[in-house]
Amino acid sequence: MTSPQQPVPARPTSRDVARAAGVSQATVSLVLGGKWPGRVSEVTAQRVRDAAAELGYRPNLAARSLRLGRTRTALLVVPALTNEFFARVYAGAAALAAEHDFGVVLYPSPDGTGPARDPFASARAALDGVIASSMAADALDALHGADLPLVMLDSDPSDTGPAAHVNLDIADGMRQVTDHLLGLGHRRFLHLASAVDTWTFAVRAEALHDALGEAGDATVRTVRAPLDVGAGREAAEQALAVTGERPTAIVCDDDILAAGACKAARRLGLRVPDELSVTGFDDLALATALEPELTTVRLPAEQVGERGMEALLAVLDGRPAEQGGLPVELVVRGSTAPPPAARA
């Protein structure tokens, strides 16, 4: 004989909390909504919090969303999750969002950095806002006219369209790379640049040329390649095979291109760093998988995601978003050394 099913205990309500704390439901709403300062005493607020904890009360987020006209959901648009950097951006955004009862819907552009299909053809109302990488700008075309607050990551701060910008100090990172190589004695440079036309790569190129221009006696040649190891290898190999004085250092726009440059050097019989120094940008896991390990610029990807979510929350609350770029750090490893002439 089977025993009768036990009734499922009813979920505690704000009315239960009010009764247990000896206050009104309005007071419970003020306290648990964080709007009690100046309206409710600290003693009363604590009594409400204690009662809610004892009863195991959790706010009904769906009902609150309907009341406030909010879904507590953000869309994060990135070019592709095959790039570790953007996976870490998502991790940072999602962790902070969870602390504020927000969800993050991830939308990687299916074509990498190209145009994307509409991620929410019939569900724009299911979003409170959008956080997007400038490298996935084309993917945002589908959301034009949706009237959603937009926070741009790693994008031109002079663009007045987005509600907020979150940037890294990319120019300083490239200056750190250049200062390091100049300090080692390098004067002939090859810039292996990304073929992706975005603000972040334009800043890297400008900072590199400015720093080398200040050196006075340095030269630089630029070749471009898609963000792919094979394409980087091919572009670097062709550039290094050109007759004339060979560059002693290759400055790459990211670690993926740097891996291609290292492969090109190996195919041409050039030893890194004895005959050719190579630098990257991003500090992906790939940087320490190479041999020698890659000198590169570490970007705080998780902080980019966190700051992006913080900015969106600020915009939704009518507060100014935090200003200023996030600092980056040069990590010196085995792929850089003085040029052969300086060691002779």
Side-chain angles (χ1 to χ4, degrees):
M1 181 176 178
T2 58
S3 57
Q5 277 192 323
Q6 296 296 319
V8 177
R11 175 176 173 168
T13 66
S14 61
R15 181 176 298 175
D16 297 326
V17 176
R19 186 180 301 113
V23 298
S24 67
Q25 276 185 272
T27 298
V28 171
S29 179
L30 286 173
V31 172
L32 300 184
K35 299 179 179 179
W36 62 270
R39 303 183 187 183
V40 177
S41 72
E42 172 62 46
V43 172
T44 300
Q46 189 58 50
R47 196 163 70 243
V48 170
R49 288 191 290 263
D50 290 344
E54 186 175 339
L55 292 171
Y57 171 75
R58 295 289 182 274
N60 187 329
L61 296 179
R64 185 170 69 179
S65 295
L66 288 173
R67 288 198 308 274
L68 300 177
R70 295 266 185 90
T71 63
R72 306 191 75 78
T73 305
L75 178 69
L76 176 63
V77 183
V78 297
L81 279 187
T82 50
N83 187 316
E84 169 198 338
F85 176 82
F86 295 107
R88 288 162 50 200
V89 168
Y90 168 75
L96 184 71
E99 295 177 12
H100 295 268
D101 295 322
F102 254 77
V104 177
V105 177
L106 180 65
Y107 185 68
S109 169
D111 300 315
T113 57
R117 295 183 297 276
D118 187 342
F120 284 91
S122 60
R124 289 185 178 89
L127 298 171
D128 283 335
V130 179
I131 306 167
S133 163
S134 64
M135 287 183 65
D138 289 338
L140 295 173
D141 290 344
L143 290 169
H144 282 174
D147 196 28
L148 291 170
L150 170 64
V151 174
M152 288 300 299
L153 309 179
D154 207 18
S155 65
D156 188 349
S158 67
D159 183 359
T160 58
H165 293 269
V166 174
N167 283 329
L168 295 150
D169 198 344
I170 294 296
D172 181 62
M174 190 56 88
R175 283 191 293 267
Q176 290 182 52
V177 168
T178 311
D179 289 347
H180 169 64
L181 292 171
L182 288 171
L184 290 173
H186 292 278
R187 291 299 181 271
R188 298 195 305 276
F189 293 84
L190 176 67
H191 179 204
L192 185 51
S194 166
V196 180
D197 183 18
T198 66
W199 174 84
T200 186
F201 293 123
V203 168
R204 294 171 209 215
E206 183 179 2
L208 174 64
H209 284 78
D210 286 350
L212 293 181
E214 292 171 6
D217 58 346
T219 61
V220 60
R221 184 157 60 95
T222 299
V223 295
R224 298 187 181 280
L227 292 174
D228 173 80
V229 173
R233 178 200 56 75
E234 185 177 343
E237 196 170 339
Q238 290 175 0
L240 291 170
V242 172
T243 56
E245 282 196 310
R246 178 177 283 150
T248 62
I250 303 182
V251 178
C252 303
D253 269 354
D254 83 341
D255 294 346
I256 295 171
L257 293 177
C262 291
K263 292 188 74 170
R266 191 176 305 115
R267 289 194 176 201
L268 293 171
L270 297 171
R271 291 170 298 159
V272 176
D274 296 334
E275 296 172 283
L276 182 70
S277 287
V278 178
T279 64
F281 217 99
D282 288 353
D283 197 26
L284 306 177
L286 175 63
T288 53
L290 295 172
E291 186 58 48
E293 294 186 354
L294 188 65
T295 293
T296 187
V297 176
R298 179 172 295 158
L299 306 182
E302 289 87 353
Q303 282 185 262
V304 172
E306 290 173 6
R307 182 77 72 86
M309 193 66 217
E310 284 175 353
L312 181 59
L313 291 171
V315 169
L316 291 172
D317 289 345
R319 297 181 284 107
E322 185 176 350
Q323 302 297 312
L326 290 166
V328 302
E329 175 191 5
L330 177 68
V331 181
V332 177
R333 298 194 180 100
S335 69
T336 52
R343 292 196 298 270

